Amino acid sequence: MAQTIDGKRISQEMKDELKARVAALAEEGKEATLAVIQVGDDAASAVYVNNKKKACAYIGIKSVSHELPEETTEEELLALIDHLNRDDAVNGILVQLPLPAHIDEDKVIRAIDPAKDVDGFHPENVGKLVIGEPGFVSCTPAGIIQLLKRSGIAIAGKRCVVVGRSNIVGKPMAILMLRENATVTVAHSKTKDLPDLCREADILIVAIGKPQFITADYIKEGAVVIDVGIHRDEKNRLCGDVDYEAVAPHASAITPVPGGVGPMTIAMLMYNCVETML
Ligand code: GUN
């Protein structure tokens, strides 16, 4: 049976390390404030935002919430970001996505000062990631690298297939695995013979947003399987993009949902916030 990659434990370990670093920085008179912006009242976003604020409180970072109504205009949101960019007391700015349809997400992401972009979504930070310069890295893919490393899974030389090509997960994930010297293939909804391709993977990372899409057919015996998806199944239980019960017997290690990748996203956000203090 596969090793369970315990994201809950690993994220807790990271948060405790960060808490100690924040306490040491406080001794030097350094502190950090994260501004968290949510527009509208999407229920899932509210849960994520709340978890982010709780994590800040745990590690000793101040968080300031800006909960804006659904009908907030793009101009109003951009004006708030401009204000926060100029505020020296604010180290990090996070705009929870998705935004209401009348607001241009790309424009909002570009408006955030790259030095405060703790989500790592600004094109300047994405560009730095691609060319291997220091900058903020998108939290979910950065968290997956930590999960692999802290679970003792070697990456260099392995064949990695990333299923999904979003700007937030799939693309930065592929670049990070390449940086770790994996041989990387990015697959997506138009990929031909996807099960055959996935069966070449030593490390299969799935972020396609389709519940329990990946079955045993997609898995090479002994592969490491990382599941980024989070959905509700027909019985209202949380599930991922991977059919865990079917896949786990064939994998050497696998992330559960919940308790796998999810908690790591927040741990890495906290890591990025601590980076703003240095
Ligand atoms: N929505 C889904 N994931 C994320 C994330 O990592 N950051 C932000 N800001 N919004 C999200």
Side-chain angles (χ1 to χ4, degrees), residues 180-192:
E180 296 296 331
N181 298 312
T183 301
V184 184
T185 305
V186 182
H188 46 80
S189 56
K190 304 261 184 327
T191 297
K192 289 210 174 102

Side-chain angles (χ1 to χ4, degrees), residues 116-128:
K116 297 188 177 186
D117 169 37
V118 285
D119 260 326
F121 294 168
H122 191 286
E124 186 174 311
N125 283 317
V126 177
K128 284 180 170 170

Side-chain angles (χ1 to χ4, degrees), residues 45 48 52 94-98 119 121 138-140 168 265:
S45 287
Y48 295 137
K52 290 171 186 181
L94 182 151
V95 180
Q96 187 64 29
L97 304 178
D119 260 326
F121 294 168
S138 183
C139 301
T140 299
I168 291 180
T265 299

Side-chain angles (χ1 to χ4, degrees), residues 44-93:
S45 287
V47 172
Y48 295 137
V49 163
N50 201 32
N51 287 339
K52 290 171 186 181
K53 290 193 290 196
K54 276 202 274 192
C56 282
Y58 182 77
I59 74 160
I61 287 176
K62 194 173 158 202
S63 65
V64 178
S65 269
H66 297 267
E67 281 154 28
L68 308 179
E70 179 81 20
E71 55 280 7
T72 302
T73 65
E74 190 176 282
E75 291 67 32
E76 286 167 332
L77 179 56
L78 293 173
L80 172 61
I81 291 169
D82 183 51
H83 170 78
L84 296 169
N85 281 342
R86 291 165 195 270
D87 184 347
D88 289 339
V90 172
N91 306 65
I93 303 171

Side-chain angles (χ1 to χ4, degrees), residues 54 60 165 177 185 224 255:
K54 276 202 274 192
R165 54 176 158 177
M177 291 301 277
T185 305
V224 173
T255 58

